[in-house]
Amino acid sequence: MCGIAGWIDFAREMSEEGSTVRAMAGTLANRGPDDEAVWTDADAALGHRRLAVIDVDDSTQPMTAEHDGRTLAVLVHNGEVYNYREVRAELTARGHRFRTAGDTEVVLRAYLEWGPECVRRLEGMFAFAVWDPRSRQLLLARDRLGIKPLYYARTAQGLLFGSEPKALLAHPSLECVVDAEGLAELLAYIATPGHAVYRGIRELPAGHTALLREGAGGAVLRESRYWSLPNHAHQDPLERTVETVRGLLQESVSDHLVADVPLCTLLSGGVDSSALAAFAARSGAGRPRTFAVDFEGHTERFRKDFWHEDPDAPYAAEVARHVGTDHEPVVLRTADLADHVVDAAALRAQDLPRPIPDMDRSLYLLLRAVRQRSTVALMGEVADELFGGYQSFRDPTLVDTANFPWVTMGLRVAPHGMSTGLLDPALLRKIDVPGYSAQRWSETVAEVPDVPGESETERVMRRVGHAHLTRWLPLLLARDDRLSMAVGLELRVPYCDHRLVEYVYNIPWAMKTADGREKSVLRSAVADLLPESVTQRRKSPFPITQDPDYGQVLRRRFNAVVTDPASPVRPLLDGPACAELAAEDRPIAVDGWGERRNVEMVLQLDAWLRHYRVRLDL
């Protein structure tokens, strides 16, 4: 996995701007700790940071293709192309010759053969940029599901691009500004395709390419969609559907196990990650290594809540014994979660404040521990979005409210959405999270065509599934990518295989809940591989600490922020509500999601405004 950055300018001598692009790429050092390089010509400067996973000794970037001393194209690439051997064979048959053994040169040669259409031939997770000096054009491309990130910002005569917003914000011409729409996007906790919260920065949408050329009136940029979720009637009966899902998932796991470095699987004890561990154990690639996160004393003090019915650790251990893995729990202390360095690292990794930062810190610490043993890890993300595992699929009062189900759930906690309970009511009325998200929901629904013969219930659930895959999933993929890359770990998501996604998305809701429970098809597909206790276990989200000492940590930090006259977040707060809470002599409540989330958001906003020197233009 890697970090990429670049600057194209048709009116500037870019061969003199290598140091600027090197600084942009330098913000991505954690994404690529193994190597760094910059390439320039008169119009372009491309930077790369490398994490070597395949063809470790070669495949350095930026990678050039040359003929008779002339540069044909230059590539910077982030990700993995899992079918690169098949594409390489086809390109070899067409006369291409390769000097490396990895997937990067395959992408470069694929561009030379097929141009921008090459993305249709590539399967995997990727984001790349190709500069073509012959036609003086730049191609940006992103994988179908948007597993790997890519951002850009237009300039007067060109474009900046990078794997993360921080790379663009390192450019001297770009100011760090967030306007009312950006703040609404942030607080609503949705991922509108293309939006990046920061003004002037755009995220290349999943399944898209963008082509930059010089035009008569300045640089011309055109985005093009090459993939989207297909909508059609599902023809297979239940038994064949289960068999197909099993086959597609097993094939995907096999593809994701290819690496020239140590690899492992994250194991929570839920059916999603347990299925990956089981297939990995049956792959013939040796005894797999698995890791699970836990909290010191968590099993002993566990209390059932709305989200968590039981602790993960016993189930993870049971699966490891059942399928045969070398299992290692990563046990976190409250002191680890309260570490200022960890807090800052998780925030900087994501470039934005998030409403559940304790989960982010837990995941960061897990991934950091995993990185000491492995360079690549498989993760069970995306199964819930595909198979309907969340409460936001199953609660009928959430799925048809003219808004995103998870936003509606948050609006039940607070009138302006989850984590906003301590923010200034006047500010929240201006930002209008309910109205903003409702408008975005309307746009989302408009993307989903009616399928002939579908019932009204199936039509509603198709829209809900589409929304989760296009407006919720990107938030999770961004979190997973940034936190894993912050520690130099490549995280792979086999459930994101586009063939599996295309098939499962169109399975009707009645079949996905055939036994009256969530994820019926998936549980049936792997029932013979896992303990019954796991296949019958209720969905349990990523765990959170229930240690009251964590509430004391939140109390100290909250009081420090709201009593600091220099705190940049104070103008955004509900002063009386914050003063009332600060006056209470007790830990912040760690049970439930109300007070805990409100306090965490205040702390996140304060740290973000300080570190990024954000200018709010509201």
Side-chain angles (χ1 to χ4, degrees):
M1 205 56 59
C2 306
I4 65 176
W7 181 10
I8 311 299
D9 196 306
F10 296 112
R12 182 187 295 262
E13 180 51 60
M14 291 303 300
S15 61
E16 300 176 359
E17 298 293 347
S19 60
T20 300
V21 172
R22 188 176 298 275
M24 293 170 63
T27 66
L28 308 173
N30 287 338
R31 296 187 72 92
D34 296 331
D35 195 16
E36 65 171 323
V38 171
W39 181 95
T40 65
D41 74 356
D43 298 309
L46 308 182
H48 188 262
R49 299 287 312 213
R50 187 185 186 206
L51 175 66
V53 172
I54 293 178
D55 194 28
V56 173
D57 295 330
D58 296 310
S59 294
T60 56
Q61 301 182 51
M63 182 177 285
T64 60
E66 299 174 346
H67 182 71
D68 291 337
R70 179 187 178 200
T71 299
L72 304 179
V74 188
L75 168 74
V76 284
H77 169 226
N78 167 33
E80 306 291 352
V81 175
Y82 299 124
N83 69 329
Y84 75 95
R85 292 187 179 94
E86 294 87 342
V87 178
R88 179 190 178 108
E90 183 176 359
L91 289 168
T92 299
R94 290 171 175 264
H96 291 267
R97 297 295 176 262
F98 292 84
R99 64 181 187 272
T100 68
D103 60 341
T104 296
E105 190 177 10
V106 171
V107 176
L108 180 57
R109 288 282 162 182
Y111 169 79
L112 292 176
E113 181 66 31
W114 297 299
E117 291 298 304
C118 68
V119 291
R120 299 181 183 274
R121 311 238 177 186
L122 306 178
E123 298 174 3
M125 55 179 189
F126 54 81
F128 63 81
V130 180
W131 170 247
D132 189 332
R134 302 166 300 176
S135 55
R136 299 177 72 210
Q137 73 176 25
L138 176 76
L139 171 68
L140 301 177
R142 196 166 176 219
D143 66 71
R144 293 167 178 81
L145 273 296
I147 307 168
K148 292 292 101 183
L150 188 55
Y151 296 83
Y152 68 84
R154 297 295 306 273
T155 63
Q157 294 295 329
L159 173 146
L160 308 170
F161 70 85
S163 293
E164 299 175 13
K166 61 173 63 67
L168 279 66
L169 293 171
H171 192 276
S173 72
L174 200 61
E175 186 182 4
C176 186
V177 180
V178 173
D179 56 25
E181 183 174 293
L183 192 57
E185 179 86 5
L186 174 68
L187 294 178
Y189 207 42
I190 54 178
T192 304
H195 286 232
V197 176
Y198 294 103
R199 189 162 71 189
I201 297 179
R202 179 169 172 81
E203 184 175 23
L204 184 65
H208 278 66
T209 61
L211 198 62
L212 179 77
R213 292 191 174 107
E214 185 178 22
V220 177
L221 182 73
R222 180 173 61 87
E223 282 188 3
S224 299
R225 180 194 294 266
Y226 70 91
W227 183 86
S228 60
L229 287 169
N231 289 271
H232 55 74
H234 183 75
Q235 301 296 336
D236 292 346
L238 179 58
E239 184 177 354
R240 185 179 301 168
T241 297
V242 170
E243 292 174 356
T244 302
V245 166
R246 181 182 175 116
L248 288 170
L249 182 56
Q250 185 169 5
E251 183 179 350
S252 179
V253 172
S254 178
D255 290 344
H256 284 75
L257 291 174
V258 175
D260 296 331
V261 293
L263 179 146
C264 69
T265 297
L266 304 184
L267 178 60
S268 70
V271 67
D272 310 341
S273 62
S274 298
L276 302 186
F279 282 127
R282 294 163 62 97
S283 69
R287 187 178 177 89
R289 184 188 293 270
T290 54
F291 293 87
V293 69
D294 196 9
F295 303 102
E296 191 174 58
H298 184 63
T299 299
E300 294 75 15
R301 71 164 66 94
F302 179 83
R303 298 180 304 279
K304 179 179 177 179
D305 61 26
F306 178 78
W307 302 98
H308 305 90
E309 192 166 284
D310 40 36
D312 285 347
Y315 292 94
E318 182 182 8
V319 171
R321 290 191 300 270
H322 186 87
V323 306
T325 74
D326 292 329
H327 186 61
E328 184 175 336
V330 176
V331 182
L332 307 180
R333 303 168 302 157
T334 295
D336 301 323
L337 296 173
D339 188 329
H340 283 286
V341 174
V342 171
D343 196 3
L347 174 63
R348 288 197 301 270
Q350 301 188 82
D351 289 325
L352 291 170
R354 289 306 187 193
I356 47 175
D358 52 331
M359 285 190 185
D360 297 342
R361 291 192 291 272
S362 298
L363 181 57
Y364 172 85
L365 289 165
L366 168 64
L367 299 175
R368 190 176 70 177
V370 169
R371 182 62 177 92
Q372 297 173 14
R373 304 282 194 275
S374 298
T375 308
V376 176
L378 273 60
M379 187 183 198
E381 204 82 276
V382 190
D384 286 309
E385 288 75 16
L386 275 180
F387 293 96
Y390 295 127
Q391 186 74 10
S392 48
F393 278 93
R394 305 191 307 274
D395 186 339
T397 67
L398 296 175
V399 299
D400 197 13
T401 63
N403 210 322
F404 297 97
W406 60 92
V407 174
T408 299
M409 188 181 297
L411 292 173
R412 291 179 180 176
V413 177
H416 298 283
M418 187 177 73
S419 306
T420 63
L422 293 172
L423 301 184
D424 178 19
L427 169 69
L428 293 172
R429 287 192 293 272
K430 182 176 183 179
I431 298 301
D432 187 17
V433 166
Y436 176 83
S437 56
Q439 175 60 37
R440 295 303 184 204
W441 170 256
S442 177
E443 296 167 0
T444 304
V445 168
E447 295 175 3
V448 186
D450 290 339
V451 173
E454 260 187 350
S455 67
E456 180 60 25
T457 296
E458 292 293 349
R459 186 175 299 113
V460 168
M461 296 312 298
R462 178 178 292 275
R463 293 169 180 171
V464 171
H466 178 93
H468 278 84
L469 287 168
T470 63
R471 268 66 171 182
W472 172 260
L473 176 60
L475 297 170
L476 304 186
L477 293 177
R479 178 197 65 184
D480 298 341
D481 172 83
R482 305 308 189 277
L483 294 176
S484 61
M485 287 286 88
V487 298
L489 178 73
E490 178 177 296
L491 205 56
R492 297 181 178 178
V493 279
Y495 288 101
C496 253
D497 181 282
H498 74 277
R499 294 159 298 187
L500 178 64
V501 170
E502 290 173 353
Y503 186 81
V504 176
Y505 168 66
N506 283 289
I507 297 174
W509 182 247
M511 192 176 289
K512 288 181 179 178
T513 56
D515 62 0
R517 295 189 52 201
E518 77 278 6
K519 296 191 285 193
S520 299
V521 170
L522 178 60
R523 287 188 288 105
S524 297
V526 297
D528 64 316
L529 305 179
L530 301 173
E532 185 178 2
S533 61
V534 172
T535 58
Q536 296 304 311
R537 187 186 179 200
R538 178 190 167 196
K539 161 68 184 175
S540 184
F542 194 83
I544 59 174
T545 181
Q546 296 178 337
D547 186 356
D549 287 347
Y550 185 69
Q552 291 284 17
V553 172
L554 294 180
R555 164 61 62 194
R556 291 194 297 271
R557 293 185 178 177
F558 176 74
N559 284 14
V561 165
V562 299
T563 58
D564 178 6
S567 168
V569 77
R570 287 188 68 179
L572 307 181
L573 301 181
D574 181 339
C578 288
E580 181 180 349
L581 181 57
E584 297 184 23
D585 185 19
R586 60 171 179 81
I588 297 299
V590 294
D591 292 330
W593 286 62
E595 184 173 273
R596 177 180 189 156
R597 294 292 162 236
N598 292 335
V599 168
E600 291 270 33
M601 180 55 83
V602 170
L603 301 180
Q604 283 274 292
L605 287 170
D606 180 74
W608 174 58
L609 293 168
R610 288 178 191 266
H611 179 77
Y612 283 80
R613 301 179 184 274
V614 181
R615 181 168 69 84
L616 295 175
D617 184 11
L618 307 178

